[in-house]
PDB file of all heavy atoms in Angstrom:
ATOM      1  N   GLY V 218     -17.988  32.865 -38.377  1.00  0.00           N
ATOM      2  CA  GLY V 218     -18.834  32.840 -39.567  1.00  0.00           C
ATOM      3  C   GLY V 218     -19.057  34.240 -40.115  1.00  0.00           C
ATOM      4  O   GLY V 218     -18.942  34.508 -41.313  1.00  0.00           O
ATOM      5  N   LEU V 219     -19.344  35.160 -39.209  1.00  0.00           N
ATOM      6  CA  LEU V 219     -19.577  36.542 -39.620  1.00  0.00           C
ATOM      7  C   LEU V 219     -18.348  37.121 -40.302  1.00  0.00           C
ATOM      8  O   LEU V 219     -18.435  37.755 -41.362  1.00  0.00           O
ATOM      9  CB  LEU V 219     -19.912  37.395 -38.393  1.00  0.00           C
ATOM     10  CG  LEU V 219     -21.335  37.316 -37.849  1.00  0.00           C
ATOM     11  CD1 LEU V 219     -21.417  38.011 -36.516  1.00  0.00           C
ATOM     12  CD2 LEU V 219     -22.308  37.940 -38.837  1.00  0.00           C
ATOM     13  N   CYS V 220     -17.199  36.889 -39.681  1.00  0.00           N
ATOM     14  CA  CYS V 220     -15.969  37.471 -40.232  1.00  0.00           C
ATOM     15  C   CYS V 220     -15.671  36.942 -41.621  1.00  0.00           C
ATOM     16  O   CYS V 220     -15.241  37.688 -42.499  1.00  0.00           O
ATOM     17  CB  CYS V 220     -14.792  37.184 -39.291  1.00  0.00           C
ATOM     18  SG  CYS V 220     -14.856  38.180 -37.811  1.00  0.00           S
ATOM     19  N   ILE V 221     -15.896  35.668 -41.804  1.00  0.00           N
ATOM     20  CA  ILE V 221     -15.614  35.097 -43.128  1.00  0.00           C
ATOM     21  C   ILE V 221     -16.554  35.694 -44.161  1.00  0.00           C
ATOM     22  O   ILE V 221     -16.140  36.058 -45.268  1.00  0.00           O
ATOM     23  CB  ILE V 221     -15.736  33.564 -43.096  1.00  0.00           C
ATOM     24  CG1 ILE V 221     -14.698  32.977 -42.145  1.00  0.00           C
ATOM     25  CG2 ILE V 221     -15.539  32.991 -44.491  1.00  0.00           C
ATOM     26  CD1 ILE V 221     -14.706  31.476 -42.079  1.00  0.00           C
ATOM     27  N   ALA V 222     -17.820  35.822 -43.782  1.00  0.00           N
ATOM     28  CA  ALA V 222     -18.774  36.398 -44.729  1.00  0.00           C
ATOM     29  C   ALA V 222     -18.368  37.814 -45.109  1.00  0.00           C
ATOM     30  O   ALA V 222     -18.400  38.211 -46.268  1.00  0.00           O
ATOM     31  CB  ALA V 222     -20.170  36.379 -44.119  1.00  0.00           C
ATOM     32  N   VAL V 223     -17.965  38.574 -44.091  1.00  0.00           N
ATOM     33  CA  VAL V 223     -17.569  39.954 -44.364  1.00  0.00           C
ATOM     34  C   VAL V 223     -16.273  39.995 -45.160  1.00  0.00           C
ATOM     35  O   VAL V 223     -16.071  40.852 -46.018  1.00  0.00           O
ATOM     36  CB  VAL V 223     -17.413  40.735 -43.041  1.00  0.00           C
ATOM     37  CG1 VAL V 223     -16.763  42.078 -43.280  1.00  0.00           C
ATOM     38  CG2 VAL V 223     -18.762  40.903 -42.383  1.00  0.00           C
ATOM     39  N   ASN V 224     -15.423  39.043 -44.897  1.00  0.00           N
ATOM     40  CA  ASN V 224     -14.148  39.009 -45.599  1.00  0.00           C
ATOM     41  C   ASN V 224     -14.354  38.914 -47.109  1.00  0.00           C
ATOM     42  O   ASN V 224     -13.596  39.480 -47.888  1.00  0.00           O
ATOM     43  CB  ASN V 224     -13.330  37.823 -45.099  1.00  0.00           C
ATOM     44  CG  ASN V 224     -11.922  37.851 -45.636  1.00  0.00           C
ATOM     45  OD1 ASN V 224     -11.289  38.894 -45.637  1.00  0.00           O
ATOM     46  ND2 ASN V 224     -11.445  36.720 -46.113  1.00  0.00           N
ATOM     47  N   PHE V 225     -15.372  38.149 -47.468  1.00  0.00           N
ATOM     48  CA  PHE V 225     -15.625  38.019 -48.901  1.00  0.00           C
ATOM     49  C   PHE V 225     -16.617  39.053 -49.395  1.00  0.00           C
ATOM     50  O   PHE V 225     -17.203  38.913 -50.467  1.00  0.00           O
ATOM     51  CB  PHE V 225     -16.112  36.606 -49.205  1.00  0.00           C
ATOM     52  CG  PHE V 225     -15.017  35.584 -49.011  1.00  0.00           C
ATOM     53  CD1 PHE V 225     -15.101  34.646 -48.003  1.00  0.00           C
ATOM     54  CD2 PHE V 225     -13.908  35.595 -49.827  1.00  0.00           C
ATOM     55  CE1 PHE V 225     -14.085  33.730 -47.803  1.00  0.00           C
ATOM     56  CE2 PHE V 225     -12.884  34.676 -49.639  1.00  0.00           C
ATOM     57  CZ  PHE V 225     -12.969  33.748 -48.622  1.00  0.00           C
ATOM     58  N   ARG V 226     -16.780  40.092 -48.597  1.00  0.00           N
ATOM     59  CA  ARG V 226     -17.592  41.240 -48.972  1.00  0.00           C
ATOM     60  C   ARG V 226     -18.992  40.882 -49.434  1.00  0.00           C
ATOM     61  O   ARG V 226     -19.501  41.458 -50.387  1.00  0.00           O
ATOM     62  CB  ARG V 226     -16.898  42.036 -50.083  1.00  0.00           C
ATOM     63  CG  ARG V 226     -15.545  42.560 -49.642  1.00  0.00           C
ATOM     64  CD  ARG V 226     -14.849  43.245 -50.804  1.00  0.00           C
ATOM     65  NE  ARG V 226     -13.467  43.506 -50.459  1.00  0.00           N
ATOM     66  CZ  ARG V 226     -13.041  44.632 -49.913  1.00  0.00           C
ATOM     67  NH1 ARG V 226     -13.891  45.612 -49.661  1.00  0.00           N
ATOM     68  NH2 ARG V 226     -11.771  44.787 -49.609  1.00  0.00           N
ATOM     69  N   LEU V 227     -19.599  39.941 -48.757  1.00  0.00           N
ATOM     70  CA  LEU V 227     -20.957  39.581 -49.136  1.00  0.00           C
ATOM     71  C   LEU V 227     -21.915  40.561 -48.490  1.00  0.00           C
ATOM     72  O   LEU V 227     -21.771  40.913 -47.334  1.00  0.00           O
ATOM     73  CB  LEU V 227     -21.264  38.160 -48.638  1.00  0.00           C
ATOM     74  CG  LEU V 227     -20.341  37.104 -49.246  1.00  0.00           C
ATOM     75  CD1 LEU V 227     -20.524  35.798 -48.508  1.00  0.00           C
ATOM     76  CD2 LEU V 227     -20.644  36.919 -50.711  1.00  0.00           C
ATOM     77  N   ASN V 288      -9.968  41.485 -46.296  1.00  0.00           N
ATOM     78  CA  ASN V 288     -10.770  42.696 -46.445  1.00  0.00           C
ATOM     79  C   ASN V 288     -10.174  43.846 -45.634  1.00  0.00           C
ATOM     80  O   ASN V 288     -10.178  43.839 -44.416  1.00  0.00           O
ATOM     81  CB  ASN V 288     -12.190  42.376 -45.956  1.00  0.00           C
ATOM     82  CG  ASN V 288     -13.136  43.511 -46.234  1.00  0.00           C
ATOM     83  OD1 ASN V 288     -12.740  44.650 -46.444  1.00  0.00           O
ATOM     84  ND2 ASN V 288     -14.416  43.191 -46.258  1.00  0.00           N
ATOM     85  N   MET V 291     -11.673  45.424 -42.526  1.00  0.00           N
ATOM     86  CA  MET V 291     -11.767  44.687 -41.278  1.00  0.00           C
ATOM     87  C   MET V 291     -10.509  44.815 -40.442  1.00  0.00           C
ATOM     88  O   MET V 291     -10.514  44.578 -39.256  1.00  0.00           O
ATOM     89  CB  MET V 291     -11.969  43.195 -41.564  1.00  0.00           C
ATOM     90  CG  MET V 291     -13.266  42.869 -42.229  1.00  0.00           C
ATOM     91  SD  MET V 291     -13.249  41.168 -42.794  1.00  0.00           S
ATOM     92  CE  MET V 291     -13.336  40.312 -41.244  1.00  0.00           C
ATOM     93  N   ILE V 304     -15.950  45.735 -36.017  1.00  0.00           N
ATOM     94  CA  ILE V 304     -16.018  45.823 -37.477  1.00  0.00           C
ATOM     95  C   ILE V 304     -17.410  46.263 -37.874  1.00  0.00           C
ATOM     96  O   ILE V 304     -18.408  45.622 -37.527  1.00  0.00           O
ATOM     97  CB  ILE V 304     -15.731  44.448 -38.111  1.00  0.00           C
ATOM     98  CG1 ILE V 304     -14.353  43.976 -37.684  1.00  0.00           C
ATOM     99  CG2 ILE V 304     -15.837  44.515 -39.622  1.00  0.00           C
ATOM    100  CD1 ILE V 304     -14.010  42.607 -38.185  1.00  0.00           C
ATOM    101  N   LEU V 306     -20.730  46.781 -39.842  1.00  0.00           N
ATOM    102  CA  LEU V 306     -21.469  45.972 -40.805  1.00  0.00           C
ATOM    103  C   LEU V 306     -22.257  46.827 -41.767  1.00  0.00           C
ATOM    104  O   LEU V 306     -23.025  46.324 -42.574  1.00  0.00           O
ATOM    105  CB  LEU V 306     -22.432  45.035 -40.070  1.00  0.00           C
ATOM    106  CG  LEU V 306     -21.818  43.786 -39.485  1.00  0.00           C
ATOM    107  CD1 LEU V 306     -22.855  43.022 -38.714  1.00  0.00           C
ATOM    108  CD2 LEU V 306     -21.265  42.911 -40.596  1.00  0.00           C
ATOM    109  N   TYR V 309     -22.322  46.096 -45.348  1.00  0.00           N
ATOM    110  CA  TYR V 309     -22.605  44.714 -45.698  1.00  0.00           C
ATOM    111  C   TYR V 309     -24.049  44.322 -45.428  1.00  0.00           C
ATOM    112  O   TYR V 309     -24.900  44.404 -46.299  1.00  0.00           O
ATOM    113  CB  TYR V 309     -21.651  43.781 -44.944  1.00  0.00           C
ATOM    114  CG  TYR V 309     -20.222  44.138 -45.229  1.00  0.00           C
ATOM    115  CD1 TYR V 309     -19.463  44.844 -44.310  1.00  0.00           C
ATOM    116  CD2 TYR V 309     -19.656  43.820 -46.458  1.00  0.00           C
ATOM    117  CE1 TYR V 309     -18.167  45.193 -44.600  1.00  0.00           C
ATOM    118  CE2 TYR V 309     -18.361  44.172 -46.748  1.00  0.00           C
ATOM    119  CZ  TYR V 309     -17.622  44.865 -45.821  1.00  0.00           C
ATOM    120  OH  TYR V 309     -16.347  45.221 -46.115  1.00  0.00           O
ATOM    121  N   PHE V 310     -24.323  43.880 -44.240  1.00  0.00           N
ATOM    122  CA  PHE V 310     -25.716  43.472 -44.031  1.00  0.00           C
ATOM    123  C   PHE V 310     -26.277  44.018 -42.723  1.00  0.00           C
ATOM    124  O   PHE V 310     -27.018  43.361 -42.022  1.00  0.00           O
ATOM    125  CB  PHE V 310     -25.886  41.954 -44.106  1.00  0.00           C
ATOM    126  CG  PHE V 310     -24.796  41.157 -43.433  1.00  0.00           C
ATOM    127  CD1 PHE V 310     -24.847  40.839 -42.089  1.00  0.00           C
ATOM    128  CD2 PHE V 310     -23.714  40.712 -44.185  1.00  0.00           C
ATOM    129  CE1 PHE V 310     -23.851  40.085 -41.505  1.00  0.00           C
ATOM    130  CE2 PHE V 310     -22.709  39.965 -43.598  1.00  0.00           C
ATOM    131  CZ  PHE V 310     -22.777  39.647 -42.261  1.00  0.00           C
ATOM    132  N   ILE V 400     -19.563  43.895 -35.649  1.00  0.00           N
ATOM    133  CA  ILE V 400     -19.077  42.617 -35.136  1.00  0.00           C
ATOM    134  C   ILE V 400     -18.113  42.951 -34.010  1.00  0.00           C
ATOM    135  O   ILE V 400     -17.133  43.666 -34.233  1.00  0.00           O
ATOM    136  CB  ILE V 400     -18.314  41.811 -36.199  1.00  0.00           C
ATOM    137  CG1 ILE V 400     -19.157  41.643 -37.455  1.00  0.00           C
ATOM    138  CG2 ILE V 400     -17.921  40.459 -35.659  1.00  0.00           C
ATOM    139  CD1 ILE V 400     -18.430  40.900 -38.552  1.00  0.00           C
TER     140      ILE V 400
END
Side-chain angles (χ1 to χ4, degrees):
Chain V
L219 281 170
C220 287
I221 297 182
V223 170
N224 188 45
F225 291 113
R226 299 176 191 268
L227 299 169
N288 187 340
M291 295 169 71
I304 301 177
L306 280 176
Y309 304 103
F310 41 87
I400 306 178

